[in-house]
Amino acid sequence: MHFNIAVLPGDGIGPEISVQGVDVMNAVCEKFGHTASFNYGIVGADAIDRVGDPFPPETLKLCKESDAVLFSAVGDPKYDNDPKAKVRPEQGLLAMRKKLGLFANIRPVETFDCLLDKSPLKAEIVKGVDFVCIRELTGGMYFGEKYEDDDRAYDTNHYTRKEVERILRVAYDYALRRRRHLTVVDKANVLASSRLWRKVAQELEKEYPDVTTDYMYVDNAAMRMIQDPGFFDVMVTENTFGDILTDEGSVISGSMGLLPSASTGESTPVFEPIHGSWPQAKGLNIANPLAQILSVAMLFEYFNCTKEGAIIRKAVNASLDAGVTTPDIMGTNGKKYGTNDVGAWIVDFIRNY
């Protein structure tokens, strides 16, 4: 099989971890008899600096002509710290999602036995945690009508029945393939948009009798994720709630640098780590590449290349067990490994497995 991949390194640590993702994909392709071509595009602050647009037409064209997008990160302090900036790096990410019709963001949350002590939660609470967050990605406040002046501002949390139903069906699909338990997260006691979510979910629930469906207010869900994260199997929610809850979920494992994600929908899927650009670490060779590498595993699995995805996961687990880790989750052997070291170790494992 040949893979035509658009690579968008982006900002901050993005270019450093992007290299590791590409190297791992090449190693897997070589092992399993696949080929891959990688074509690079600009996005985020890098694109603003070059052409004044965080997601230029050339990058959109590249993405649409590719089988998948391997994306890394956007964000830069010079824009983050300027509230008057009209163009921001994150607008590039939102534009990519919207223009590619990527309405479903899939974020797995799982823990690793050898890293239980790195979690801010007690080991007995996080051991064995394995759930998936399905976040609606192209609706809600991030894309609704906005207004801002010196005295007043608003963001409209707008959803349609079609938008809600299609993301719920994605969530039910995942639940059927896992432990058949779906939690719909909303704020239906306060928000009209959430009441639409709950109404549509209650209607769809009847079509999936093999799935246990429950409903949870977002504040309760945030609390339950800390008290009893093992309760969840598949969680589905709207854009803003999902953004917050998935970041909360990411630290359960011990580092945001461990968890990948996939964004799917109407066009080319995008695979990316959930962490940001971490500009303070740029060029220091300390960024954790595992989330980017595991995003490559999700990419292979999207194309039903399960053995290819499995060998990446095995390599990542082996690196963790061996203590070959970046400083954020430094192993018990006390050795320090850089971004490049971890990536090279995993590539070597795959080639020799």
Side-chain angles (χ1 to χ4, degrees):
M1 184 173 182
H2 178 75
F3 297 92
N4 182 24
I5 307 298
V7 182
L8 308 182
D11 309 323
I13 61 171
E16 298 166 65
I17 60 170
S18 177
V19 169
Q20 313 312 319
V22 169
D23 286 351
V24 166
M25 186 164 186
N26 272 325
V28 173
C29 285
E30 290 169 12
K31 190 168 191 70
F32 287 88
H34 302 305
T35 56
S37 57
F38 301 93
N39 300 291
Y40 289 76
I42 57 174
V43 68
D46 178 45
I48 296 173
D49 292 343
R50 295 194 196 194
V51 299
D53 185 341
F55 189 61
E58 295 78 13
T59 301
L60 174 60
K61 183 174 183 290
L62 171 64
C63 292
K64 285 190 171 182
E65 292 174 348
S66 302
D67 298 318
V69 177
L70 189 60
F71 169 76
S72 297
V74 294
D76 190 285
K78 67 183 176 184
Y79 298 100
D80 298 340
N81 297 328
D82 181 5
K84 295 183 179 179
K86 299 298 182 184
V87 182
R88 297 179 178 277
E90 292 75 16
Q91 290 170 348
L93 182 56
L94 296 179
M96 177 168 63
R97 292 167 177 169
K98 195 71 172 180
K99 291 179 180 179
L100 293 177
L102 304 176
F103 62 86
N105 183 234
I106 296 95
R107 295 191 176 189
V109 176
E110 61 179 315
T111 56
F112 302 86
D113 285 350
C114 64
L115 293 177
L116 293 180
D117 63 320
K118 302 295 182 183
S119 174
L121 302 181
K122 294 178 181 178
E124 59 265 30
I125 292 177
V126 298
K127 185 176 176 60
V129 166
D130 175 15
F131 66 92
V132 175
C133 234
I134 310 292
R135 168 189 169 194
E136 200 290 322
L137 208 56
T138 57
M141 284 194 290
Y142 289 3
F143 294 95
E145 182 183 350
K146 301 176 184 297
Y147 176 82
E148 180 181 1
D149 62 30
D150 288 340
D151 301 306
R152 187 169 65 105
Y154 62 78
D155 300 276
T156 308
N157 199 36
H158 179 273
Y159 272 106
T160 65
R161 170 177 285 272
K162 177 184 176 182
E163 289 172 322
V164 176
E165 182 174 328
R166 68 183 181 181
I167 192 67
L168 284 169
R169 290 195 183 280
V170 171
Y172 272 114
D173 235 15
Y174 270 84
L176 285 169
R177 286 181 271 151
R178 289 174 52 88
R179 301 191 299 275
R180 301 183 177 234
H181 174 204
L182 177 65
T183 303
V184 181
V185 177
D186 60 32
K187 192 63 176 171
N189 58 334
V190 176
L191 301 177
S193 56
S194 279
R195 286 192 285 277
L196 175 64
W197 271 76
R198 187 166 292 207
K199 179 181 179 181
V200 175
Q202 288 173 338
E203 292 171 3
L204 280 186
E205 179 183 350
K206 299 167 187 173
E207 297 182 28
Y208 298 90
D210 295 334
V211 176
T212 299
T213 305
D214 50 42
Y215 300 84
M216 197 175 290
Y217 295 147
V218 63
D219 42 355
N220 186 25
M223 180 176 66
R224 192 72 180 264
M225 283 174 65
I226 298 301
Q227 291 179 326
D228 182 22
F231 168 82
F232 297 103
D233 176 26
V234 178
M235 172 194 296
V236 63
T237 191
E238 58 103 76
N239 204 343
T240 306
F241 295 162
D243 192 6
I244 297 166
L245 289 176
T246 51
D247 275 7
E248 180 188 8
S250 72
V251 300
I252 290 173
S253 65
S255 172
M256 288 184 73
L258 291 169
L259 301 184
S261 76
S263 298
T264 64
E266 300 167 0
S267 187
T268 312
V270 173
F271 301 88
E272 60 180 291
I274 71 152
H275 59 68
S277 60
W278 195 15
Q280 297 85 356
K282 179 180 178 180
L284 299 181
N285 192 34
I286 60 172
N288 191 337
L290 294 186
Q292 180 82 87
I293 290 169
L294 287 169
S295 296
V296 176
M298 293 187 76
L299 188 159
F300 278 115
E301 290 158 357
Y302 177 86
F303 291 102
N304 295 315
C305 296
T306 54
K307 292 180 179 178
E308 291 83 341
I311 197 172
I312 294 174
R313 296 183 186 281
K314 183 176 281 291
V316 166
N317 278 303
S319 72
L320 293 172
D321 289 338
V324 181
T325 59
T326 45
D328 57 315
I329 50 170
M330 192 170 71
T332 55
N333 61 18
K335 292 184 180 179
K336 293 183 179 180
Y337 295 89
T339 308
N340 297 332
D341 299 322
V342 174
W345 195 97
I346 289 173
V347 165
D348 189 61
F349 180 96
I350 291 168
R351 284 177 174 160
N352 293 292
Y353 181 73

